[in-house]
Amino acid sequence: MDITIHSSFLPHTDAEASLAFYRDVLGFEVRLDVGYEDMRWITVGPPGQPSTAIVLHPPAVGYDVTEEERTLLLELIAKGSYFGVNLATDDLDGTFARIEAVGADIVQEPIEQDYGVRDAAFRDPAGNLIRIQQTPQKENGHE
């Protein structure tokens, strides 16, 4: 039995800002853009990886969320302490420079972590924490 990760979900608080960030800054493809009343669900993913996606969704929708819970959730999202995703690239410095150049909220510049990866962190327009790590360099066909 093979199980893969197909989609993960991140909230957006401004659909256009999140769309521009994931499409124009990170270079993701827009796969679906679904609206309902004044809400939007936008599915994006890396080009060439059709089986991996992030669904950007309006936060705290539904009848079972109280206004107090909604307020708390929005505060946690804005702090980057509720949702997040880890991405990978083979050019961390170049990717980080591109993200920094658009004025993204940088949390951590690229560093070597004690646990064996080199990574950086920033927040998307909603405040979600995005970590991006350097993929291992291939040497003689091996990672």
Side-chain angles (χ1 to χ4, degrees):
M1 174 175 74
D2 289 335
I3 298 176
T4 61
I5 297 173
H6 181 266
S7 334
S8 58
F9 288 73
L10 290 176
H12 69 71
T13 54
D14 178 333
E16 286 302 318
S18 290
L19 175 62
F21 184 79
Y22 283 90
R23 181 192 57 208
D24 303 337
V25 177
L26 297 184
F28 283 9
E29 299 172 331
V30 178
R31 300 190 181 142
L32 284 173
D33 190 341
V34 179
Y36 177 75
E37 298 179 349
D38 62 345
M39 298 178 285
R40 285 172 69 187
W41 286 258
I42 305 165
T43 303
V44 296
Q49 299 178 43
S51 61
T52 301
I54 295 173
V55 180
L56 304 167
H57 65 90
V61 295
Y63 300 108
D64 58 342
V65 178
T66 67
E67 191 57 36
E68 182 178 277
E69 292 169 333
R70 184 179 195 293
T71 299
L72 176 60
L73 182 58
L74 292 173
E75 289 172 359
L76 291 172
I77 292 168
K79 289 174 52 178
S81 57
Y82 189 67
F83 289 96
V85 66
N86 287 12
L87 306 174
T89 179
D90 61 355
D91 179 14
L92 180 61
D93 292 319
T95 302
F96 180 81
R98 194 173 67 244
I99 294 167
E100 185 178 41
V102 299
D105 182 6
I106 303 299
V107 175
Q108 171 205 301
E109 294 191 9
I111 62 169
E112 297 285 340
Q113 298 285 0
D114 293 341
Y115 46 89
V117 301
R118 183 166 184 270
D119 70 357
F122 52 92
R123 297 187 201 288
D124 75 3
N128 297 302
L129 184 63
I130 311 296
R131 299 197 73 83
I132 189 161
Q133 69 182 43
Q134 176 89 34
T135 53
Q137 297 294 317
K138 293 182 179 179
E139 294 181 25
N140 301 324
H142 302 287
E143 291 183 10

